[in-house]
Amino acid sequence: MADILASLRSLMASHSPHLDALLVPSEDCHQSEYVSARDKRRQFVSGFTGIQDWHLLLNMKQGYGRMADTSCKLCSSLVISGEAAIGIDPWSVSMDTAQRWERAFEKKKQKLVQTSINLVDEVWKNRPPAETNPAVVHPLEFSGRSVAEKLKDLRVKLANEKARGIIITALDEVAWLYNIRGSDVSYSPVVPAFAIVTLNSAFLYVDKRKVSSKVSSSLQENGIEVREYGAVSSDVVMLASNQLDQAMGVNSSQNGVCENDTCDNDLIWVDPASCCYALFSKLDANKVLLQQSPLALAKALKNPVELEGLKNAHIRDGAAVVQFLAWLDKQAGNDAIALSIAQMQDIYGASGYFLEGEVASKKRSETMKLTEVTVSDKLEGTEGFRASKEHFRGLSFPTISSVGPNAAIIHSSPQAEKCAELDPNSIYLFDSGGQYLDGTTGVTRTVHFGKPSAHEKVCYTSVLKGHIALGNARFPNGTNGYALDILSRTPLWRYGLDYRHGTGHGIGSYLNVHEGPHQISFRPHAQNVSLQVSMTVTDG
């Protein structure tokens, strides 16, 4: 780690201008929640593997690193005084975040400097290669709507907003719009790609090695031109000067979205939360529509086929979870699996107190241990309960399998070498989900195989009451998740309890397990989008 930091500081010192600090975000060029191994730069330079969105700041003068939150509080955490140049790879930060940082740094007479190369990549000698897994067509039997229909709706929205084109950077939006899926990124069946759609044309920017003849034919049938991933940079420049369609030989037919084939549209639509700063910087800021992508809401409003698929996926997924719980309780099946809960209770007693004596020692030594990892493997492994279900394609997020105090840690991720053993006198929580061709799932369950304490009973019952209250809620049109969030918390508040995370979020249709733009949360941005019919929301 010291060698890595020393090499980075050497590059910072030789950079023009000299960099006093370097921000290393955890995101990729698309602001993805889950990124490929080669994009885990923050982890590489810091060794920090947590899921929080933190940044490593390398301060030349002080000679040490510091972690800070991505909000503007990050700016005040810098230990640099006076004028300073703070480096950032503009491909790895959103336009919205970069501009917030710029404003905050300006107050301290400091400036954000866009580096022409990623300095971390320069010192990452064994950086994992880019994945080249093939993209696949997501068929109409699962998607429910054709690419042509989606493009037509998008172009109508562009015309209504006086925009002549849009840059699509969020991977799930690209996948949804073009009805393609991939396997390059863990937990998210997306393809690393950009898209540009104008009133007259559509482009996909992707590693062409991933595009099979079947995918290519599907894209061509819908008038989508496939370009190399790196070409997006130069094409955005042409888009900004209104030369992209002409350069690609596109016929200006207007696709029927403007009356009399005339349009005065002159804006380029970009989502400030997902469009990277590098692409935004190539546009004329006076001719940019900074607004949430129109695909975010369109994707969230599930069509009947998607809704049916999600129901079926959850039925199969629920069956897997029930099988898992039954296995925990009865130790069904494999002799090589660890102690069952029933065996543990035979050995230790239902109350969870250890029994002394030779018999207990003998039973413990003759079997494998039940740990947070071994039990989750039974649910999630290649031969686990989920993997046996129809249309299963993998996990939707890293499984949270937690015993006792670990169950109180948000997004706890157990490691085989140091995870806890199951204890019949402790709570066990698992939060997991699957990716199926017809839907994405996420489910949390909390169980106890011994005698829970009075406090544990209060917590569990209060959470259950909150779920019931939220599930039974009837509310008028226009209600958002911010208004409903209190229903789930009120039973906990009566005992002075709370949880410091959201209550519910959207979920994708064989896409991201965390999907916006709607959510149920105490955070102010949950007010931005009203809940609507055909949205899907998790509770818990």
Side-chain angles (χ1 to χ4, degrees), residues 23 52-57 66-78 97 100-101:
L23 299 177
Q52 293 298 329
D53 191 11
W54 294 59
H55 291 67
L56 177 71
L57 288 88
R66 173 174 292 192
M67 298 288 185
D69 188 80
T70 56
S71 67
C72 284
K73 293 179 181 178
L74 175 147
C75 309
S76 61
S77 72
L78 278 168
T97 298
R100 284 191 291 111
W101 286 351

Side-chain angles (χ1 to χ4, degrees), residues 320-399:
V321 170
V322 170
Q323 287 176 300
F324 174 63
L325 288 170
W327 173 82
L328 271 180
D329 195 37
K330 298 178 181 178
Q331 181 64 44
N334 193 339
D335 291 337
I337 301 298
L339 279 168
S340 70
I341 297 300
Q343 286 175 315
M344 292 176 72
Q345 291 178 339
D346 287 341
I347 296 171
Y348 302 136
S351 65
Y353 291 104
F354 287 85
L355 295 179
E356 301 294 337
E358 253 177 60
V359 176
S361 297
K362 184 177 180 181
K363 287 187 179 180
R364 286 196 297 269
S365 65
E366 289 176 350
T367 55
M368 295 171 60
K369 294 178 180 178
L370 273 184
T371 71
E372 293 171 330
V373 170
T374 60
V375 296
S376 68
D377 285 346
K378 187 62 178 176
L379 175 63
E380 311 296 356
T382 55
E383 298 182 0
F385 297 116
R386 272 202 174 99
S388 67
K389 301 300 181 249
E390 185 182 17
H391 299 322
F392 179 76
R393 289 297 182 272
L395 304 183
S396 59
F397 59 96
T399 298

Side-chain angles (χ1 to χ4, degrees), residues 435-473:
Q435 290 286 7
Y436 301 85
L437 288 176
D438 50 355
T440 302
T441 71
V443 59
T444 307
R445 291 293 181 269
T446 302
V447 294
H448 202 299
F449 295 95
K451 293 182 178 179
S453 68
H455 178 66
E456 288 171 334
K457 291 179 181 178
V458 165
C459 293
Y460 185 95
T461 304
S462 298
V463 170
L464 175 60
K465 288 179 177 179
H467 276 70
I468 293 172
L470 186 58
N472 287 338

Side-chain angles (χ1 to χ4, degrees), residues 137-351:
V137 174
H138 194 50
L140 201 60
E141 65 177 296
F142 297 125
S143 66
R145 295 195 71 210
S146 68
V147 177
E149 289 176 300
K150 294 177 182 180
L151 284 172
K152 181 179 180 180
D153 288 350
L154 175 58
R155 288 183 171 122
V156 169
K157 292 172 184 174
L158 292 177
N160 290 341
E161 294 291 341
K162 302 299 181 183
R164 56 182 173 82
I166 182 171
I167 303 171
I168 304 164
T169 52
L171 297 185
D172 62 332
E173 293 183 2
V174 175
W176 178 85
L177 178 65
Y178 289 162
N179 280 350
I180 56 175
R181 298 294 189 269
S183 56
D184 286 343
V185 181
S186 297
Y187 313 115
S188 299
V190 295
V191 183
F194 294 97
I196 291 177
V197 176
T198 74
L199 295 174
N200 314 301
S201 59
F203 304 89
L204 174 68
Y205 300 87
V206 64
D207 185 336
K208 288 187 176 181
R209 294 175 295 176
K210 303 175 183 180
V211 182
S212 66
S213 58
K214 183 177 181 179
V215 172
S216 179
S217 297
S218 173
L219 295 170
Q220 288 178 6
E221 289 171 4
N222 289 286
I224 302 163
E225 181 170 341
V226 180
R227 305 267 289 155
E228 283 291 350
Y229 183 82
V232 67
S233 185
S234 57
D235 281 11
V236 165
V237 173
M238 287 193 290
L239 178 68
S241 59
N242 204 10
Q243 296 178 331
L244 180 59
D245 285 352
Q246 182 180 356
M248 299 300 163
V250 175
N251 180 20
S252 299
S253 64
Q254 302 299 339
N255 283 287
V257 297
C258 291
E259 294 182 4
N260 302 321
D261 288 340
T262 60
C263 279
D264 59 357
N265 300 40
D266 198 32
L267 299 176
I268 303 300
W269 193 332
V270 299
D271 188 328
S274 64
C275 181
C276 62
Y277 201 36
L279 293 181
F280 172 77
S281 299
K282 300 178 185 300
L283 301 172
D284 181 347
N286 295 318
K287 295 184 178 181
V288 173
L289 174 63
L290 291 176
Q291 194 166 288
Q292 185 176 70
S293 168
L295 300 182
L297 182 58
K299 176 164 54 62
L301 297 173
K302 303 296 188 288
N303 63 58
V305 171
E306 289 175 317
L307 289 173
E308 185 65 20
L310 280 163
K311 290 177 183 177
N312 292 333
H314 277 82
I315 289 171
R316 294 193 302 274
D317 196 71
V321 170
V322 170
Q323 287 176 300
F324 174 63
L325 288 170
W327 173 82
L328 271 180
D329 195 37
K330 298 178 181 178
Q331 181 64 44
N334 193 339
D335 291 337
I337 301 298
L339 279 168
S340 70
I341 297 300
Q343 286 175 315
M344 292 176 72
Q345 291 178 339
D346 287 341
I347 296 171
Y348 302 136
S351 65

